[in-house]
Amino acid sequence: MSSTNNKIVIIGGVAGGASAAARARRLSEDAEIVMFERGPFVSFANCGLPYHVGGEIEQRSKLILQTPQSFNNRFNVDVRVQHEVIAIHRSDKQVRVKDLATGKEFLESYDALVYSPGAAPIVPPIAGIDNPLTFTLRNIPDMDRIIEQIDSRELKQVAVIGGGFIGLEMMEAFVHRGIKTTLVEALPQVMNSVDREMAGIVHQEIRSKGVDLKLNTKLTQISHNPAQQTLTLSLNDNESLDVDLLIMAIGVRPEVGLARDAGLEIGEFGGVLVNSQMQTNDPVIYAVGDAVQTKDLITGEQTLVPLAGPANRQGRIAADNILGHEAHYQATQATAICKVFDFAVGSTGKNEKQLKQLEIDYEKVFVHAASHAGYYPGAEIVSLKVLFEKSSGKLLGAQAVAKDGVDKRIDVLAVAIRAGMTIDELEHLELSYAPPYGSAKDLVNLAGFVGTNIIKGLVAPVHFDQMDAPADNQLILDVRTPNELKNTGCIEGAINIPVDELRQRASELPKDKEILVYCQVGLRGHVAYRMLTNLGYQAKNLIGGYRSYRLAKA
């Protein structure tokens, strides 16, 4: 499309729409750009909303990135807030718009249309859910209503339903406010983007902060008590819970009503189907952000990823293509991080649950090591999990949980996955090192060492879920010190021979059984494994050691 005499209409602001508008203007001074936003704010930091509720972000104004006036001043974009697009007339290349302030409707023409309405919170059809004390959090008005409840009356007990990003952030916000909080999650774990042994660390942290964490629990009914201004929540375990406020945070669903009514193609996961140029099946209509399905980097299949980073990039790519600068969105890998009190939880690529569902033959490594040199003050243990394809070693995903150093490792591994690297190539990465910031052998390198050993057959791995029911021809060997066993516990039925005594005491072990070796994090276990195999024993080493085993049980 030519860059002159174009009229670009954008439905929705925030990440995708605002990025498209700004990019379009940077590419062309001639284009007419009109952006309709249903809400009162055109560009705000929606990811920051829970942190203002909790008080970490003190000034509400910090969340407002652009106003209609500031956006117009800088980018000459006609921004109309509180204007809802209610229909797309593709044949006439027009949209029908309702001015929510006056109720009047009008038609607006376009040469190119960008569809960026986002995703709406899922509100399940639970009896009693339509009440004045149940809230979702999507935008600034939602945030304002929640804060008004906190400020206008004494909240003694609140409940959050859902242990994803928003649920965890709202849980933390209430705790920061000194309000007793219950978190209810239908699944066996919070943060379904990571696997259960990684989530175990998060569960411990949540409970240590006084939160009543209820896993494998569903909300079945809500009763509103107007006189007391409370809700009674009925749960599927026959318990009930009285709360002053309820937050529903079980997930989001792409807003595709307009698109569907206009005959735009919708994918199997409920998002608008687009090509790599962000075009829908109508070549002059582009769709971006949480409302669209895109290609998964690992599998090449369609996926939904409601994250701000992809939305921003997609908005930019749509503007490029509208204005004749060919650009392609190169798939998504769902890289994300979440703060949970003192811990960070990060992930990229596929997790183990997804790989099993996809029937991909994979292997995994665990590393538990210090965030920086252990002798320098402030080092924290980082738990890192890396998944890779068995046959090729190609990296498939990574997860990390710790008080420090998570973002660094996940970002490195996100780039490695994007570059198509293999697990053995991680040991050759040259990463920055000084005692306050890292170690000479970084956790990412260590994951590469372990993975390379597995690929080369220098270690036979065994994992935590295989340790509870050893076969008759297997024996479990704990190579930690007796004090460690006393202080941290051990796997039931294990024999204890410390690794430093193993060479002299190996004869105590039967050679007709396979020895399942473990230590605290896997390193001494590997030393013991190599020692035993060199002495003619059959053995396997517990990858990630007792720490991974214990976290999986947490």
Side-chain angles (χ1 to χ4, degrees):
M1 184 178 284
S2 164
S3 63
T4 59
N5 300 318
N6 286 329
K7 184 173 182 182
I8 303 169
V9 170
I10 300 171
I11 302 173
V14 197
S19 293
R23 177 65 169 176
R25 177 57 70 219
R26 290 195 297 272
L27 294 176
S28 170
E29 274 298 313
D30 300 323
E32 181 183 356
I33 307 171
V34 181
M35 181 158 55
F36 294 111
E37 168 56 48
R38 177 176 48 197
F41 301 96
V42 64
S43 182
F44 62 92
N46 50 358
C47 296
L49 301 179
Y51 300 107
H52 182 56
V53 174
E56 295 97 328
I57 298 174
E58 295 183 5
Q59 297 178 26
R60 179 177 177 274
S61 60
K62 296 286 188 184
L63 299 173
I64 301 171
L65 306 178
Q66 294 280 357
T67 65
Q69 187 60 50
S70 69
F71 209 92
N72 184 265
N73 289 344
R74 179 164 297 179
F75 297 110
N76 189 24
V77 172
D78 180 4
V79 178
R80 306 183 204 177
V81 295
Q82 294 186 297
H83 280 67
E84 182 176 10
V85 176
I86 57 176
I88 301 170
H89 303 302
R90 289 170 52 195
S91 58
D92 300 324
K93 296 175 74 172
Q94 292 179 328
V95 292
R96 178 168 290 279
V97 186
K98 183 175 184 179
D99 183 338
L100 298 180
T102 65
K104 293 182 178 178
E105 297 181 10
F106 60 91
L107 294 172
E108 191 82 29
S109 64
Y110 63 83
D111 294 313
L113 183 67
V114 178
Y115 184 75
S116 179
I122 296 171
V123 181
I126 295 172
I129 200 165
D130 186 14
N131 66 74
L133 302 179
T134 295
F135 298 86
T136 59
L137 181 64
R138 182 186 186 185
N139 51 38
I140 288 180
D142 291 342
M143 178 192 73
D144 289 342
R145 285 189 285 269
I146 293 168
I147 291 175
E148 182 184 10
Q149 289 286 320
I150 296 171
D151 292 343
S152 64
R153 59 195 188 99
E154 184 182 359
L155 301 182
K156 297 178 181 177
Q157 172 80 52
V158 301
V160 178
I161 310 297
F165 292 105
I166 297 296
L168 290 171
E169 289 163 356
M170 287 303 297
M171 167 202 72
E172 183 172 345
F174 288 126
V175 172
H176 282 167
R177 289 274 196 156
I179 303 168
K180 187 177 179 184
T181 305
T182 298
L183 180 64
V184 180
E185 170 54 59
L187 298 173
Q189 65 168 82
V190 301
M191 282 292 286
N192 200 38
S193 57
V194 301
D195 293 313
R196 62 172 182 161
E197 69 279 7
M198 308 302 283
I201 308 172
V202 185
H203 298 162
Q204 291 177 342
E205 175 71 357
I206 290 170
R207 289 180 169 130
S208 76
K209 295 297 190 287
V211 174
D212 180 16
L213 175 61
K214 296 182 180 293
L215 301 173
N216 291 303
T217 305
K218 293 182 180 179
L219 175 64
T220 57
Q221 185 174 321
I222 305 169
S223 299
H224 180 214
N225 313 308
Q228 294 83 22
Q229 283 193 288
T230 62
L231 301 172
T232 299
L233 311 182
S234 300
L235 307 176
N236 66 337
D237 57 3
N238 296 321
E239 287 190 26
S240 63
L241 183 66
D242 291 324
V243 299
D244 302 302
L245 191 74
L246 175 64
I247 302 292
M248 295 299 300
I250 64 172
V252 295
R253 181 180 290 120
E255 281 213 31
V256 296
L258 265 179
R260 181 182 285 113
D261 291 345
L264 299 181
E265 289 184 13
I266 309 299
E268 62 177 314
F269 300 113
V272 179
L273 281 177
V274 293
N275 62 19
S276 64
Q277 293 180 291
M278 307 314 297
Q279 281 176 306
T280 66
N281 55 299
D282 185 325
V284 299
I285 299 180
Y286 296 74
V288 303
D290 296 356
V292 306
Q293 291 182 192
T294 53
K295 188 171 76 170
D296 182 274
L297 180 69
I298 306 298
T299 66
E301 302 296 324
Q302 291 284 304
T303 187
L304 283 174
V305 180
L307 295 171
N312 277 283
R313 296 196 302 278
Q314 290 163 9
R316 177 186 176 94
I317 287 167
D320 280 358
N321 288 303
I322 289 169
L323 290 163
H325 298 267
E326 185 176 344
H328 296 268
Y329 186 69
Q330 297 181 13
T332 188
Q333 63 196 90
T335 304
I337 191 167
C338 182
K339 178 181 179 293
V340 184
F341 298 111
D342 297 331
F343 279 78
V345 189
S347 61
T348 186
K350 293 299 181 188
N351 59 39
E352 197 168 348
K353 299 183 290 288
Q354 293 166 329
L355 293 174
K356 286 179 179 176
Q357 290 170 355
L358 293 165
E359 297 183 345
I360 294 175
D361 194 17
Y362 67 92
E363 186 53 89
K364 56 188 174 183
V365 298
F366 296 93
V367 178
H368 306 282
S371 55
H372 59 250
Y375 55 81
Y376 188 89
E380 299 286 350
I381 295 297
V382 179
S383 294
L384 175 66
K385 177 178 184 177
V386 180
L387 298 145
F388 59 95
E389 192 173 48
K390 263 189 180 179
S391 59
S392 68
K394 181 182 177 183
L395 295 171
L396 299 173
Q399 304 159 34
V401 185
K403 291 184 177 180
D404 182 48
V406 167
D407 52 346
K408 172 181 176 178
R409 276 72 190 199
I410 289 299
D411 285 347
V412 168
L413 287 162
V415 174
I417 290 171
R418 173 72 57 172
M421 292 178 67
T422 55
I423 185 71
D424 53 302
E425 289 179 308
L426 295 183
E427 69 172 297
H428 302 295
L429 291 182
E430 192 167 320
L431 305 174
S432 60
Y433 161 61
Y437 304 109
S439 299
K441 290 184 287 190
D442 190 82
L443 278 102
V444 176
N445 298 132
L446 294 177
F449 297 157
V450 178
T452 300
N453 283 337
I454 292 174
I455 287 174
K456 290 184 175 180
L458 295 174
V459 64
V462 64
H463 296 292
F464 60 82
D465 52 355
Q466 301 167 297
M467 297 294 285
D468 284 333
D472 292 339
N473 66 334
Q474 293 177 322
L475 181 148
I476 300 177
L477 174 65
D478 188 324
V479 297
R480 298 174 298 162
T481 66
N483 276 341
E484 286 180 273
L485 273 69
K486 182 179 178 182
N487 294 331
T488 64
C490 63
I491 297 175
E492 186 176 349
I495 295 172
N496 178 224
I497 303 177
V499 66
D500 292 339
E501 302 175 15
L502 183 58
R503 189 171 282 103
Q504 290 73 36
R505 297 177 56 186
S507 59
E508 298 176 24
L509 299 171
K511 281 202 169 181
D512 61 346
K513 290 196 173 185
E514 183 178 63
I515 314 299
L516 304 182
V517 184
Y518 76 93
C519 64
Q520 186 64 19
V521 299
L523 180 57
R524 286 172 292 172
H526 180 65
V527 173
Y529 165 86
R530 293 304 310 165
M531 191 185 302
L532 289 171
T533 54
N534 288 338
L535 292 171
Y537 290 84
Q538 293 184 17
K540 289 182 178 178
N541 183 32
L542 176 60
I543 304 299
Y546 183 68
R547 181 177 175 85
S548 290
Y549 176 89
R550 184 167 51 85
L551 290 172
K553 307 293 181 182

